[in-house]
Amino acid sequence: MVAVLRDVDLKKPPSVAESVDWARTLLALGADELSDEVIRQTMPVLLKYQRDIEIALAKLSLAR
């Protein structure tokens, strides 16, 4: 998923550090799979700007 987001026109695509932080967050939550809800809840760990989060969720077809 990180690779997909790096190909999207974001103000700040996810870096390696943000990707590692996100993976640690998923592990801490005990997420066995990337459900829509888990992605929505954890996206702010991966992307720092609200605009980028909205763009990413739309790209992933998870916009509300």
Side-chain angles (χ1 to χ4, degrees), residues 23-33 38:
R24 287 181 177 156
T25 299
L26 294 172
L27 287 172
L29 293 173
D32 294 334
E33 60 184 48
V38 167

Side-chain angles (χ1 to χ4, degrees), residues 4-58:
V4 169
L5 294 178
R6 286 183 177 157
D7 287 337
V8 178
D9 185 26
L10 302 174
K11 183 174 183 177
K12 185 177 183 315
S15 67
V16 171
E18 289 153 343
S19 301
V20 170
D21 288 346
W22 186 57
R24 287 181 177 156
T25 299
L26 294 172
L27 287 172
L29 293 173
D32 294 334
E33 60 184 48
L34 290 177
S35 68
D36 294 353
E37 189 60 28
V38 167
I39 292 170
R40 276 191 209 94
Q41 290 177 348
T42 60
M43 191 64 65
V45 175
L46 192 58
L47 300 174
K48 302 305 177 196
Y49 298 103
Q50 184 61 38
R51 177 188 166 276
D52 285 353
I53 292 169
E54 292 166 3
I55 291 169
L57 292 176

